[in-house]
Amino acid sequence: MNTSSLSRRSVLRNLTLAVALVGCTTALGDATAFAAEPRTYALTIKHLDRAGHLTGSYSTNVTGISGAGADEVAHPYDASGTTTVRLPQGRYLLDSSLSGGDGADGTDWVVQPRLDLDHDTTITVDARTTAPVDVLPPDDSAGFQHGAMFVRVTQGDAVRETNLVTSSSKLRVAHLGPDAEPGSVKQWFDSYWTTDKGGYALGYTFDGTRALTGLTRHPAAKDLATLQIRGAARPGATENASFDLQPTAGPTVGTARTLPSPGTATYLVTPERGTWDVTYTAPGKPGAASNRYSADGIAVRAGATTTHTFDNAVFGPTLTDRTGVVRDGDRLDVDVPLLADGDGHVPSAPAFSSASTTLHRDGVLVGKKTGTPGSARFTVAPGRAAYRLTSTVNRAGAPGTATRVTAAWTFTSATATGPASVPVSVVRFSPALSPTGTAAAGSTLRVPVTVLGAAAHGRVRSLAVSVSVNGGASWTEVPVENGAVTIRNPQAGTGVSLRAKLTDTAGNTLTQTIDDAYRTH
């Protein structure tokens, strides 16, 4: 016997045993140390241009949906046009955009919502399978701004999305692969067009089992809704305003435009896209904080016009979807915007010189807070008591834009076991004013009066409205008839102040004063 060979076999056997023992010990110490890696498969993707040739001008994304590859995201690329990536078994969403290189011929976007990878697989992304996205407004002079298409795929609790944003109107799209489950594929397409007076926002939504292969929509003007966005001219403003417009529901990129002050932008939008959101940024003084207003969920109807005017008088208190005053235990939270514009839009950063909110309990001062107009938090003594809450904001040097607003409420409140609404109300004044917040001197002005909050919907016991044309030195009561008061405007350059005194059916009261609510010209 060759002792050298025996020695080598003995060493190999001992080495094998040592490895096995080490593996056994590690497995006992960490049960997952030798957990089997998920099995992977080769996914080969070929990319063909519109001439049927392999192309390197593409961008491909593979996104895991479910299975072992649920969290995988891959961006395979090879300049030859054929690329291979190994991925764990599972379902994937694949999308690939192809271009001619310089973008002159637009983009081809191919989407496969369902790619079940359970064996080595080869797929071909072929630009020749795409069809045009032919969405056009009824105005040949409108210029294309940009478009965006989004695809959302749902499987069980998993939701994955992909999108393509394009600055070219030459977009072509195609579905690839088998159908997905019914209703599991949702798709949006929005395109924005500009005109001298505004533009078009054309949006469409689709549900089904497949991604779109082409899309044709040529709406007539009668099929569209008109949305007017008006901006007022505030005293001292030196810059243009701007606004964003986009659908409320689903993903989108929206459109952003500047707007002269004062100015109006008119957009024709598709009602089938649902409601629309507008964010308006008011022009301000250099160095001042940007002040924005939002109008969300604007309902539109084909053939009808909806107008939103931003940053114009009469500025005053309003109540939002959030309850204005809330009692939680023995904490009282106040959130009543005091400087909403004439259409009721709440500003993000209203200009003001000082603001305070005070609270009395059974005639005794609880506290005074300064800072944000109409916003405060107080801790009160337990039990039931009568309260008086007063909130004031001053705006020096802003004639005709509510130089001082005060709202004072009385109510009874007790300790609450959870958040409970406190019964407060506000009164809104909504006259039709010029873009500079003025009304013609000597004219008769109808001022609609709206009650919001606890006294709304027929719960007003009494309401008195008064007018002052001398800075509040004297007041004249004017009757509220058919939801409005009528004011005979004074001479040009005069500020008109408005006051409301209200009692609801439960005995809660409001006294609200807006100094210099609007001016005459």
Side-chain angles (χ1 to χ4, degrees):
M1 175 180 292
N2 188 323
T3 57
S4 177
S5 297
L6 177 60
S7 177
R8 284 197 299 270
R9 286 198 299 271
S10 185
V11 169
L12 289 172
R13 184 177 68 243
N14 291 336
L15 180 59
T16 303
L17 178 59
V19 170
L21 288 173
V22 171
C24 182
T25 302
T26 305
L28 289 173
D30 182 356
T32 63
F34 284 98
E37 290 293 326
R39 186 169 183 179
T40 63
Y41 298 99
L43 174 62
T44 300
I45 309 167
K46 297 181 178 180
H47 302 83
L48 304 182
D49 61 20
R50 293 181 187 175
H53 302 142
L54 285 170
T55 177
S57 297
Y58 68 87
S59 176
T60 293
N61 308 293
V62 184
T63 305
I65 301 176
S66 62
D71 296 325
E72 295 285 336
V73 177
H75 311 285
Y77 180 80
D78 189 280
S80 68
T82 300
T83 182
T84 298
V85 60
R86 295 198 68 88
L87 293 168
Q89 180 176 350
R91 178 173 292 191
Y92 293 84
L93 163 66
L94 180 144
D95 75 280
S96 183
S97 59
L98 305 95
S99 68
D102 59 5
D105 293 328
T107 301
D108 297 288
W109 195 39
V110 179
V111 178
Q112 183 165 343
R114 178 178 181 176
L115 172 57
D116 293 315
L117 189 64
D118 53 13
H119 60 280
D120 291 346
T121 301
T122 298
I123 64 172
T124 300
V125 174
D126 192 341
R128 294 172 298 177
T129 65
T130 62
V133 175
D134 183 15
V135 175
L136 295 172
D139 182 355
D140 292 340
S141 67
F144 183 79
Q145 187 179 20
H146 58 258
M149 185 170 282
F150 296 80
V151 176
R152 177 181 294 167
V153 179
T154 303
Q155 186 189 18
D157 295 331
V159 179
R160 300 291 186 268
E161 288 186 0
T162 187
N163 68 81
L164 180 78
V165 179
T166 177
S167 59
S168 170
S169 60
K170 296 178 181 180
L171 174 64
R172 299 171 63 92
V173 297
H175 170 89
L176 177 63
D179 290 0
E181 291 77 9
S184 64
V185 181
K186 190 161 189 174
Q187 195 156 352
W188 295 264
F189 177 71
D190 297 314
S191 63
Y192 299 91
W193 307 72
T194 61
T195 65
D196 291 340
K197 296 182 178 180
Y200 293 84
L202 309 180
Y204 302 94
T205 305
F206 308 89
D207 289 282
T209 61
R210 299 169 61 87
L212 291 174
T213 296
L215 172 63
T216 300
R217 294 290 188 275
H218 298 159
K222 66 179 180 61
D223 302 320
L224 302 175
T226 300
L227 179 57
Q228 285 190 332
I229 302 166
R230 290 179 176 170
R234 291 284 306 280
T238 59
E239 301 176 355
N240 285 338
S242 63
F243 67 87
D244 299 331
L245 170 66
Q246 64 181 26
T248 302
T252 188
V253 294
T255 185
R257 297 282 299 274
T258 58
L259 186 67
S261 177
T264 300
T266 300
Y267 266 79
L268 274 70
V269 304
T270 43
E272 51 264 59
R273 190 61 171 86
T275 60
W276 294 78
D277 296 345
V278 175
T279 300
Y280 178 90
T281 302
K285 296 179 180 179
S290 177
N291 187 30
R292 295 183 303 278
Y293 298 91
S294 294
D296 295 334
I298 301 171
V300 297
R301 181 169 52 87
T305 299
T306 303
T307 301
H308 276 258
T309 301
F310 295 90
D311 206 35
N312 202 6
V314 171
F315 295 89
T318 193
L319 294 173
T320 65
D321 292 339
R322 302 185 304 274
T323 302
V325 182
V326 175
R327 176 82 176 261
D328 189 353
D330 291 316
R331 189 184 72 197
L332 205 68
D333 288 316
V334 182
D335 185 8
V336 181
L338 296 183
L339 293 171
D341 69 13
D343 270 13
H345 308 117
V346 177
S348 64
F352 65 96
S353 52
S354 64
S356 65
T357 300
T358 60
L359 180 68
H360 289 79
R361 181 183 188 273
D362 288 336
V364 178
L365 178 65
V366 174
K368 178 178 180 179
K369 303 296 175 69
T370 60
T372 305
S375 180
R377 172 174 288 180
F378 300 95
T379 299
V380 298
R384 188 175 184 84
Y387 290 88
R388 179 176 178 82
L389 175 67
T390 304
S391 196
T392 299
V393 61
N394 295 292
R395 301 213 291 183
T401 59
T403 52
R404 179 181 175 87
V405 177
T406 297
W409 301 272
T410 65
F411 52 86
T412 300
S413 177
T415 302
T417 57
S421 300
V422 172
V424 297
S425 304
V426 299
V427 174
R428 298 286 305 160
F429 299 108
S430 308
L433 300 173
S434 75
T436 57
T438 61
S443 66
T444 299
L445 181 66
R446 182 178 185 271
V447 181
V449 178
T450 305
V451 176
L452 302 178
H457 309 299
R459 293 189 293 270
V460 174
R461 178 185 296 173
S462 65
L463 173 61
V465 174
S466 300
V467 178
S468 175
V469 295
N470 57 9
S474 62
W475 294 87
T476 300
E477 186 172 336
V478 288
V480 181
E481 298 175 331
N482 299 318
V485 298
T486 300
I487 298 174
R488 181 69 177 179
N489 285 322
Q491 64 184 8
T494 303
V496 178
S497 301
L498 300 170
R499 184 176 67 190
K501 291 185 175 181
L502 177 149
T503 302
D504 69 16
T505 53
N508 308 296
T509 71
L510 162 72
T511 300
Q512 176 184 303
T513 305
I514 304 174
D515 293 341
D516 211 10
Y518 68 92
R519 298 185 74 81
T520 55
H521 66 266

